[in-house]
């Protein structure tokens, strides 16, 4: 993903281990119905620029070199081929490897059958990477290359020394085309196209709005537990008139979606697809996985320890292995998705991560011919709970609409609303908060509080208890006034009292805090937001007793009281209802071909794929109207979109600063993580980064700009988000479980943070490149 899987994805997984908790889910799965189209992927030119020249040398392992005559006989190689190979082979004095230097004369001696048998021999040595992982190109693609006069000589050599598989051409002698490419620029363009591929872009079709049906559809994707929001998205898209599809990437786990449709960032490494796919498979469901043991022991050992080989229909997350695990530590494998599709690195050199039919793997790489794939299923499959969609309130039952967004350099965009919600299992893992309520007030006095007590309408008994609670309270040396109300008094305190005073209440940041406050971003009142069927009568009474209005949203305080007043089932239902978050799904409408240049310039952030090529193929397709903007976001933002996580008070957790300032980062800056038990001042670090590496923006915003809400009085940054397009930002509106990463309208974020005394500013990276994503 970033700087290769070892130093990139592993580094990112290490960061996630600090705040991610795997969960579990169940259901009676319904096999999904998929829509597929084909779009083209190509690597970036800068990726090709880092690719070393393919060496004109063949190597054989010492044991193979010793058995060379036996191999020639067993392989039934033509006599002239065998003679020439023997004549040219030398033994390296230090390694005892066999070394053969090929040329065009030698290559011409092979017929098609002998060539593939010889490739199989060469594939036994890691040095011969292009023979282990040959390039596969369609006849159509080869003809397109041939149409460019600069590439004619290279294409002639491919046709001359290739093998065919149906309508595909398989080529491994990549060293042989190097001399046919006259300069570095030609070489970059040639290999950019040669290593490109037409690949399946997949959407999940959802047409039934019945909660039970949506639940069964969602259950298929919830295997092994997911801190995801599958049910609401399936329900929402099913209710949109004229659009019944949601991009499959939204339903994949985080790690998988971050690499999908991308190329390795570093083409100079010798890291093989089999190893990349092994790490993808091992960490497919578990962001907490430690990749170290997988690397140390090999993938075969990991499979034996963590999976069972099965002989039954495949399901989401099964691992399909295309080599004999008895003879290799790193067999090539891919993860089963649905409807015959698997996810993994293409089995060719420098291939992308993509969705491809399982049956295609052996056709793309001759080494796997005849191997149907052994299937391994991770042990301890998860179990899950009720569908979130059963508890979406009536106010959200109206069909969402595809809404046009303001026009601009980002293209023609539409969006629709979706109500996100965390899974039951994530909610069941919420740490137990303190039992004793605690109120600590800053910037207020005992007299001021008692005045509010006397002025606020409330029952006499509640007024008396509140007066007695505060009458003898004294502030500490820091001016903080703390009292310990009973749970009964907390529930009896009216919303109007909270609205007048609780902006001065010191709220905890995590679910372990009895005083945690949860912001509910809705202008609906509590009755409409929670509905009549969302919660039991008792749970609804407890929840509404703790709510009060703050600006354009609702606020729930005294989390500990809520937690301890409800039984486990009521608690999960209440927490899910509270932690729901409105978001949008953002779609790019198919552009005209003459608009691609401008779109490429706008969506310029590093994608580890050519945005130009993707958009050109999208513009030329006829069967897909919308491309999900998720595929135009940087890897980290794409990975976390619409995801909830749980975190503890003592472990660093992602903040809004971390989210926005790492939006397009190659490596996340962990200094911007927040530890709730010792929060420090991450806002100061964030401000330092903005001051040193960004410049203010006065004109129109563009993707990657940072939107800052800063308090004028003391310069404190109340919130930070990243601009995407039109009026949409990428944001996380709270720590831990209190808010998912999501796309929101800027005006809705304004409503939460642009209060009196807070200014909204915008910043752009200094020296921001305009064409990094081309």
């Amino acid at each position: 993903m970033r700087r290769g899987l070892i130093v990139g994805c592993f580094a990112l997984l290490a960061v996630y281990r600090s705040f991610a908790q795997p969960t579990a889910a169940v259901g009676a799965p319904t096999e999904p119905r998929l829509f597929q189209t084909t779009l083209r992927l190509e690597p970036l030119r800068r990726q090709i620029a880092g690719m070393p020249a393919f060496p004109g040398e063949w190597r054989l392992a010492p044991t193979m070199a010793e058995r060379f005559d036996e191999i020639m006989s067993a392989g039934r190689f033509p006599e002239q081929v065998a003679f020439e190979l023997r004549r040219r082979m030398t033994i390296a004095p230090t390694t005892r490897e066999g070394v053969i230097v090929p040329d065009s004369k030698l290559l011409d001696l092979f017929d098609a059958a002998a060539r593939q048998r010889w490739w199989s021999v060469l594939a036994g040595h890691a040095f011969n990477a292009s023979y282990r992982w040959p390039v596969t190109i369609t006849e159509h693609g080869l003809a397109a290359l041939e149409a460019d006069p600069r590439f004619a000589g290279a294409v002639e050599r491919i046709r001359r020394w290739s093998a065919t598989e149906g309508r595909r051409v398989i080529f491994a002698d990549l060293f042989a085309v190097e001399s046919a490419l006259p300069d570095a620029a030609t070489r970059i363009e040639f290999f950019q196209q040669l290593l490109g591929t037409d690949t399946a872009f997949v959407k999940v079709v959802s047409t039934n709005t019945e909660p039970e049906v949506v639940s069964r559809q969602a259950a298929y994707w919830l295997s092994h537990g997911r801190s995801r929001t599958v049910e609401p998205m399936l329900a929402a898209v099913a209710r949109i008139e004229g659009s019944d599809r949601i991009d499959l990437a939204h339903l994949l786990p985080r790690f998988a979606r971050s690499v999908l449709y991308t190329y390795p960032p570093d083409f100079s490494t010798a890291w093989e697809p089999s190893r990349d796919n092994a790490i993808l498979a091992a960490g497919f469901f578990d962001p907490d996985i430690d990749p170290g043991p997988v690397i140390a022991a090999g993938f075969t050992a990991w499979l034996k320890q963590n999976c069972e080989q099965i002989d039954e229909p495949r399901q989401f997350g099964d691992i399909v292995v295309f080599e004999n695990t008895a003879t290799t530590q790193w067999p090539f494998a891919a993860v089963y998705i649905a409807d015959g599709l698997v996810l993994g690195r293409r089995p060719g050199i420098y291939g992308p991560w993509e969705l491809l039919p399982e049956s295609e793997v052996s056709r793309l790489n001759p080494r796997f011919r005849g191997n149907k794939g052994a299937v391994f299923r991770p042990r301890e499959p998860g179990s899950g709970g009720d569908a979130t969609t059963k508890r979406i309130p009536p106010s959200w039952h109206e069909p969402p609409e595809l809404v046009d967004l303001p026009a601009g350099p980002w293209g023609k965009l539409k969006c629709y609303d979706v109500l996100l919600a965390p899974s039951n299992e994530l909610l069941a893992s919420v740490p137990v908060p303190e039992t004793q309520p605690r109120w600590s007030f800053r910037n207020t006095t005992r007299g001021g509080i008692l005045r509010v007590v006397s002025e606020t309408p409330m029952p006499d008994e509640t007024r008396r208890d509140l007066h007695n609670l505060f009458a003898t309270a004294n502030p500490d040396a820091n001016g903080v006034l703390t009292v310990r109300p009973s749970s009964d008094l907390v529930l009896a305190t009216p919303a109007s009292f909270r609205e007048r005073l609780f902006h001065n209440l010191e709220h905890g940041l995590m679910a372990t805090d009895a005083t945690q406050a949860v912001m509910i971003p809705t202008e609906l009142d509590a009755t409409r937001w929670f509905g009549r069927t969302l919660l039991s009568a008792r749970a609804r009474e407890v929840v509404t007793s703790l709510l009060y209005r703050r600006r354009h949203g609702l606020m729930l305080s005294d989390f500990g009281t809520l937690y301890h007043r409800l039984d486990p089932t009521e608690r999960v239902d209440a927490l899910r209802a509270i932690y729901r978050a409105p978001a949008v799904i953002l779609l790019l409408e198919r552009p005209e071909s003459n608009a691609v240049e401008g779109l490429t310039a706008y969506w310029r952030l590093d994608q580890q794929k050519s945005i130009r090529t993707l958009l050109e193929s999208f513009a030329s397709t006829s069967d897909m109207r919308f491309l999900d903007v998720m595929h135009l976001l940087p890897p980290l933002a794409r990975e976390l979109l619409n995801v909830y996580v749980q975190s503890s008070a003592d472990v660093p957790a992602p903040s809004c600063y971390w989210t926005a300032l790492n939006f397009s980062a190659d490596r996340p800056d962990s200094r911007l993580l927040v530890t709730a038990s010792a929060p420090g001042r991450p806002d100061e670090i964030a401000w330092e980064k903005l001051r040193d590496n960004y410049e203010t923006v006065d004109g129109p915003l563009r993707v990657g700009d940072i939107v800052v809400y800063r308090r004028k009085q003391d310069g404190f940054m109340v919130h930070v988000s990243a601009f995407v397009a039109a009026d949409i930002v990428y944001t996380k509106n709270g720590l831990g479980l209190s808010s998912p990463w999501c796309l929101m309208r800027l005006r809705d974020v304004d409503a939460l943070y642009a209060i009196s005394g807070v200014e909204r500013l915008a910043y752009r990276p200094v020296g921001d490149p305009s064409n990094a994503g081309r």
Side-chain angles (χ1 to χ4, degrees):
M1 190 163 67
R2 305 151 180 78
R3 299 186 185 277
L5 212 59
I6 274 286
V7 297
C9 285
F10 289 175
L12 192 57
L13 284 171
V15 172
Y16 290 152
R17 283 198 295 275
S18 69
F19 65 81
Q21 298 292 331
T23 59
V26 294
T30 296
E31 184 78 11
R33 188 157 64 93
L34 304 182
F35 161 84
Q36 297 186 47
T37 192
T38 300
L39 298 180
R40 184 161 179 80
L41 298 176
E42 287 181 356
L44 294 170
R45 293 179 181 178
R46 66 160 178 77
Q47 292 172 298
I48 301 295
M51 182 177 71
F54 293 96
E57 181 178 285
W58 295 334
R59 293 188 191 177
L60 301 176
T63 54
M64 299 282 280
E66 291 175 3
R67 297 174 48 243
F68 190 73
D69 287 340
E70 178 185 339
I71 291 170
M72 290 293 99
S73 299
R76 302 187 306 280
F77 287 96
E79 183 177 343
Q80 191 175 8
V81 170
F83 171 81
E84 191 65 23
L85 289 172
R86 290 190 189 96
R87 187 182 73 80
R88 294 181 183 229
M89 188 173 73
T90 60
I91 302 298
T94 55
T95 65
R96 307 306 297 170
E97 293 175 314
V99 179
I100 300 171
V101 178
D103 57 18
S104 60
K105 178 181 176 181
L106 177 56
L107 294 177
D108 281 337
L109 294 178
F110 288 88
D111 59 24
R115 181 174 294 114
Q116 293 197 57
R117 291 197 296 272
W118 179 240
W119 288 354
S120 297
V121 173
L122 294 177
H125 197 299
F127 176 83
N128 307 314
S130 65
Y131 298 90
R132 293 178 55 75
W133 310 106
V135 170
T136 304
I137 186 170
T138 63
E139 280 287 354
H140 174 77
L142 197 57
L145 277 172
E146 200 168 23
D148 190 324
R150 298 173 301 164
F151 306 152
V155 173
E156 186 276 330
R157 297 182 186 189
I158 291 177
R159 292 195 181 279
R160 185 171 160 192
W161 298 318
S162 62
T164 58
E165 179 73 38
R167 296 183 178 180
R168 293 185 178 89
V169 174
I170 302 174
F171 185 67
D173 301 316
L174 289 174
F175 74 92
V177 303
E178 294 280 6
S179 62
L181 302 168
D183 53 52
T186 303
R187 181 179 187 267
I188 289 173
E189 292 188 43
F190 174 78
F191 277 106
Q192 183 181 31
Q193 295 182 46
L194 182 68
L195 299 179
T197 179
D198 294 331
T199 193
F201 270 65
V202 181
K203 299 189 178 186
V204 178
V205 178
S206 180
T207 58
N208 196 311
T209 60
E210 291 296 322
E212 293 78 9
V213 175
V214 175
S215 177
R216 290 196 300 271
Q217 292 174 338
Y220 181 85
W221 305 103
L222 290 171
S223 302
H224 291 72
R226 310 284 296 287
S227 56
R228 299 296 312 285
T229 53
V230 174
E231 301 103 321
M233 287 189 284
L234 289 174
V237 74
R239 298 197 305 273
I240 297 177
E241 185 176 353
S243 181
D244 58 3
R245 306 163 182 171
I246 187 163
D247 200 289
L248 184 143
H250 281 291
L251 311 183
L252 294 177
R254 302 201 312 257
F255 189 11
R257 64 149 92 170
S258 71
V259 296
L260 178 63
Y261 304 137
T262 68
Y263 283 80
D266 188 353
F267 277 31
S268 66
T269 64
W271 200 247
E272 292 192 329
S274 58
R275 298 200 175 199
D276 287 351
N277 280 4
I279 301 305
L280 174 66
F284 186 72
F285 286 119
D286 185 5
D288 199 38
I289 188 173
D290 180 0
V294 184
I295 298 169
F299 189 45
T300 293
W302 185 89
L303 286 170
K304 290 180 179 178
Q305 183 176 356
N306 296 279
C307 302
E308 294 179 357
Q309 189 167 351
I310 63 167
D311 185 21
E312 56 186 86
R314 289 145 171 69
Q315 68 181 32
F316 182 59
D318 285 348
I319 301 169
V320 186
V321 180
F322 297 91
E323 288 184 277
N324 188 346
T325 56
T327 58
T328 178
Q329 279 189 309
W330 294 97
F332 183 80
V335 179
Y336 186 79
I337 302 301
D339 197 24
L341 294 175
V342 294
L343 170 62
R345 280 280 305 277
R346 188 178 183 85
I349 196 158
Y350 302 126
W353 283 270
E354 61 180 330
L355 295 163
L356 66 161
E358 182 183 327
S359 59
E360 290 290 286
V361 172
S362 61
R363 295 171 186 157
L364 293 170
N365 193 319
R367 284 199 295 131
F368 309 135
R369 186 173 292 133
N371 190 324
K372 295 182 179 180
V375 181
F376 292 81
R377 181 165 296 165
R379 294 191 180 95
E380 300 180 3
S383 60
D386 298 332
T388 303
T389 48
K390 292 182 179 179
R391 296 173 175 83
I392 290 179
S395 59
W396 285 81
H397 285 174
E398 295 299 320
E401 296 180 359
L402 280 173
V403 178
D404 290 310
L405 294 178
W410 41 76
K412 296 178 181 179
L413 296 178
K414 291 181 182 289
C415 74
Y416 62 90
D417 293 296
V418 61
L419 186 64
L420 306 178
S423 66
N424 287 19
E425 293 66 43
L426 191 66
L427 294 168
S429 69
V430 169
V432 178
E434 307 166 72
T435 55
Q436 174 61 51
R438 181 182 70 255
W439 290 342
S440 294
F441 292 91
R442 281 187 181 275
N443 303 319
T444 190
T445 63
R446 179 176 57 190
I449 295 174
L450 291 174
R451 185 165 55 253
V452 174
V453 170
S454 65
E455 294 174 354
T456 303
M458 65 181 76
D460 292 341
E461 182 180 0
T462 303
R463 191 187 315 277
R464 182 194 67 227
D465 291 345
L466 284 173
H467 184 278
N468 292 340
L469 178 70
F470 288 103
T472 58
N474 292 303
D476 62 16
N478 296 316
V480 178
L481 191 151
T482 299
V483 294
R484 295 274 187 171
S486 67
S487 294
D488 288 339
L489 181 57
V490 167
L491 292 171
T493 298
S496 53
F497 178 83
R498 299 172 187 271
E499 289 168 8
R500 290 188 63 179
L501 282 179
F502 274 31
H503 61 281
N504 290 323
L505 188 67
E506 282 194 339
H507 290 297
L509 296 175
M510 308 302 293
T512 50
D513 299 312
T515 53
Q516 184 198 18
V518 181
M519 182 181 293
I520 302 173
T522 178
E523 295 190 2
L524 298 177
D525 59 32
T527 300
R528 292 184 62 199
W529 180 252
F530 291 100
R532 297 184 178 277
T533 60
L534 191 61
L535 302 173
S536 68
R538 191 167 80 106
R540 186 167 55 254
E541 181 181 2
V542 172
V543 169
T544 55
S545 296
L546 301 174
L547 292 172
Y548 61 99
R549 175 65 60 181
R550 178 179 287 186
R551 300 189 298 276
H552 297 281
L554 295 171
M555 185 71 76
L556 180 137
S557 64
D558 295 291
F559 185 83
T561 299
L562 167 72
Y563 186 97
H564 292 292
R565 279 295 176 115
L566 302 177
D567 64 38
T569 299
E570 291 175 324
R571 184 184 306 135
V572 167
D573 288 347
L575 293 180
R576 185 175 48 236
I578 291 165
Y579 284 127
R580 288 171 300 150
V584 298
I585 303 296
L586 187 58
L587 306 172
L588 173 66
E589 193 166 1
R590 185 173 62 245
E592 299 293 333
S593 58
N594 59 9
V596 169
E597 182 69 26
L599 292 177
T600 300
Y602 182 81
W603 298 103
R604 69 203 182 286
L605 298 180
D606 187 0
Q607 308 292 319
Q608 294 167 12
K609 61 177 177 280
S610 170
I611 293 299
R612 179 193 296 278
T613 300
L614 177 62
L615 292 174
E616 284 176 344
S617 64
F618 177 42
S620 64
T621 190
S622 60
D623 57 354
M624 190 170 83
R625 184 182 174 190
F626 298 111
L627 176 70
D628 199 295
V629 167
M630 170 187 283
H631 298 302
L632 304 177
L633 298 180
L636 183 59
R638 183 169 63 248
E639 179 161 354
L640 296 175
L641 186 62
N642 299 332
V643 169
Y644 287 83
V645 293
Q646 183 60 276
S647 53
S648 69
D650 300 321
V651 175
S655 62
C656 66
Y657 311 123
W658 184 93
T659 296
L661 293 174
N662 288 320
F663 178 72
S664 55
D666 202 37
R667 289 174 176 270
D669 186 346
S670 60
R671 296 179 303 161
L672 298 170
L673 297 170
V674 172
T675 303
S677 59
R681 290 300 303 271
D683 63 295
E684 293 180 352
I685 299 173
W687 178 246
E688 180 182 342
K689 288 175 70 74
L690 285 171
R691 186 189 62 213
D692 295 345
N693 304 304
Y694 292 75
E695 55 192 1
T696 57
V697 179
D698 295 325
L701 299 182
R702 66 190 192 202
V703 63
D705 287 348
I706 306 300
V707 179
V708 176
Y709 296 87
R710 193 164 186 249
R711 207 157 50 203
K712 296 178 182 178
Q713 178 182 2
D714 55 7
F716 178 77
M717 289 198 295
V718 177
H719 184 67
V720 185
S721 60
F723 185 78
V724 176
D727 64 346
I728 304 297
V729 295
Y730 180 84
T731 185
K732 190 178 193 307
N733 298 328
L735 279 175
L737 191 61
S738 62
S739 177
W741 288 272
C742 65
L743 298 175
M744 290 185 69
R745 292 177 176 85
L746 184 58
R747 65 173 182 268
D748 293 334
V749 181
D750 282 347
L752 298 175
Y753 299 105
I755 59 176
S756 176
V758 173
E759 58 182 344
R760 189 181 80 191
L761 306 171
Y763 293 84
R764 181 171 296 157
V766 175
D768 183 39
S770 61
N771 294 308
R774 296 170 78 88

